[in-house]
């Protein structure tokens, strides 16, 4: 069992020798015992810079202007979500963050859209207040989604499946990209006791398969390794990948959930911007442990559950269902 978050090279898996491919698979498998891994990427740094610049422009708009991009009834699956709404399932205190969410549209007649309309809401983006942002954010979304699809090839081989195992599962899936602004310290009351001075987002695990986190504008992400909180910062030209609840179910717990939180560094008085992407399977995917992960030493732990049901349960737990809030502010 590894207790370290490793830095691997996705491009070596894709372009290297058979020995290099095996080394990457081994490194990812060992690192994901923590729920986290760092990987190199071929994303455009210019696109990252442009996206962050336009997102900052949006979040600096007035509350009324931002509220124009709220998507009523979308349960946080598109549009703007304000401060003190999303709440970690382990907490009754809403997180100090505001968010802009977006995903790729699919054809209105697609059976996924007709069967799971709540997973595929009509997208709401702030084009009217930040002209040009829609094109930039969709290009950003597509770039990260492609990176995640490719990284799942490594994970598939690591669990004893063909590298294409996840391809059909994530094709047209409701993969969601989220931009987050964590307010400056002056906007947040201090915590009591021995807790960190400012917890932007409480401890939680993501629902999806894997999550990609390119560089943020400031430190703050902490990950739980052997019951200790460890700072996690994407390396230069790197991305943080963490694992979610759905992947834990599919792998029968062989790949655990990557538990994490976001905490302001001591003495840090600024705000923090981060963009993350949650890679989701198609809602009709049956999340049942794969045969290669069920052994006499590790018998089947999870019963089958649809991805749609798993997501709906978590959306309620994290307080994003508008007409059924678990926590009220």
């Amino acid at each position: 069992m590894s207790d370290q978050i490793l830095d691997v090279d996705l491009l070596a898996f894709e372009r290297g020798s058979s020995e290099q491919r095996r080394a990457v698979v081994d490194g990812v498998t060992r690192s994901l015992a923590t729920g986290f891994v760092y990987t190199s990427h071929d994303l455009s740094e210019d696109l990252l810079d442009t996206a962050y610049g336009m997102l900052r422009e949006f979040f600096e708009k007035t509350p009324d202007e931002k509220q124009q991009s709220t998507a009523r009834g979308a349960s946080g699956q598109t549009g703007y979500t304000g401060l003190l709404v999303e709440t970690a399932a382990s907490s009754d205190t809403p997180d100090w963050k505001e968010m802009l969410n977006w995903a790729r549209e699919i054809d209105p007649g697609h059976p996924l859209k007709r069967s799971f309309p709540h997973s595929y809401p009509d997208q709401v983006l702030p084009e009217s207040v930040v002209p040009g942002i829609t094109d930039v954010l969709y290009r950003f979304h597509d770039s990260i989604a492609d990176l995640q699809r490719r990284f799942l090839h490594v994970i598939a081989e690591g669990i004893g499946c063909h590298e294409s195992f996840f391809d059909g599962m994530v094709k047209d899936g409701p993969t969601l990209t989220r931009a987050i602004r964590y307010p400056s310290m002056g906007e947040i009351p201090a915590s009591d006791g021995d807790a960190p001075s400012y917890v932007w987002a409480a401890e939680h695990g993501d629902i999806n398969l894997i999550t990609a986190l390119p560089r943020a504008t400031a430190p703050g992400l902490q990950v739980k390794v052997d019951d200790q909180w460890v700072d996690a910062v994407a390396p230069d030209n790197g991305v943080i990948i963490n694992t979610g609840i759905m992947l834990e179910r599919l792998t029968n717990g062989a790949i655990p959930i990557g538990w994490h939180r976001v905490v302001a560094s001591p003495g840090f008085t600024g705000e923090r911007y981060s963009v993350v992407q949650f890679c989701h399977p198609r809602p009709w995917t049956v999340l049942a442990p794969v045969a290669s992960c069920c052994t006499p030493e590790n018998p089947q732990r999870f019963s089958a559950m649809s991805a749609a049901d798993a997501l709906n349960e978590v959306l309620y737990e994290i307080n994003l269902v508008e007409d059924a809030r678990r926590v009220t502010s």
Side-chain angles (χ1 to χ4, degrees), residues 247-324:
L247 188 62
E248 182 187 54
R249 294 186 74 95
L250 280 170
T251 64
N252 198 37
I255 298 179
I257 300 166
W259 294 98
H260 54 287
R261 67 182 183 181
V262 185
V263 178
S265 302
F268 182 73
T269 58
E271 58 187 2
R272 179 180 188 267
Y273 288 87
S274 175
V275 182
V276 303
Q277 186 183 85
F278 309 105
C279 182
H280 281 277
R282 295 178 170 202
W284 55 38
T285 300
V286 177
L287 302 172
V290 298
S292 59
C293 293
C294 298
T295 65
E297 296 75 28
N298 186 35
Q300 185 169 340
R301 294 170 50 194
F302 300 100
S303 59
M305 183 181 195
S306 75
D309 289 340
L311 177 60
N312 285 336
E313 181 178 29
V314 167
L315 289 177
Y316 169 74
E317 290 177 348
I318 64 175
N319 212 38
L320 286 180
V321 182
E322 291 91 336
D323 56 357

Side-chain angles (χ1 to χ4, degrees), residues 29-197:
T29 301
R30 288 188 291 120
S31 189
L32 288 186
T34 70
F36 297 87
V37 65
Y38 301 126
T39 183
S40 57
H41 66 73
D42 50 8
L43 303 173
S44 164
E45 292 294 328
D46 287 343
L47 180 58
L48 285 172
D49 291 339
T50 301
Y52 268 119
M54 299 186 88
L55 288 165
R56 183 184 294 274
E57 184 180 348
F58 167 72
F59 283 117
E60 289 176 348
K61 298 294 183 181
T62 67
D64 286 345
E65 288 175 305
K66 288 185 285 191
Q67 288 294 337
Q68 293 175 23
S69 296
T70 300
R72 182 68 187 167
S75 300
Q77 302 308 287
T78 188
Y80 174 73
T81 302
L83 289 169
L84 298 174
V85 175
E86 183 169 282
T87 307
S90 62
S91 174
D92 287 333
T93 302
D95 291 338
W96 284 94
K97 63 187 182 188
E98 56 180 332
M99 308 179 295
L100 182 67
N101 304 279
W102 69 98
R104 266 295 179 185
E105 298 268 12
I106 63 173
D107 189 275
H110 196 293
L112 283 167
K113 175 108 174 177
R114 291 188 286 108
S115 298
F116 304 98
H118 289 96
S119 294
Y120 297 91
D122 294 337
Q123 293 298 297
V124 177
L125 284 170
E127 183 69 24
S128 61
V129 295
V130 184
I133 195 171
T134 300
D135 174 68
V136 169
L137 295 188
Y138 276 139
R139 286 193 287 119
F140 181 92
H141 174 92
D142 292 346
S143 295
I144 303 293
D146 179 65
L147 178 76
Q148 297 217 75
R149 178 190 59 79
R150 292 156 54 200
F151 198 83
L152 283 169
H153 292 171
V154 185
I155 294 175
E157 288 206 2
I159 61 173
C161 296
H162 189 273
E163 71 171 74
S164 64
F165 174 74
F166 291 102
D167 284 358
M169 194 183 299
V170 300
K171 178 178 169 54
D172 295 321
T175 289
L176 183 74
T177 306
R178 169 175 294 170
I180 309 170
R181 174 188 172 264
Y182 301 94
S184 62
M185 300 301 92
E187 300 179 45
I188 306 176
S191 302
D192 296 323
D194 296 329
S197 297

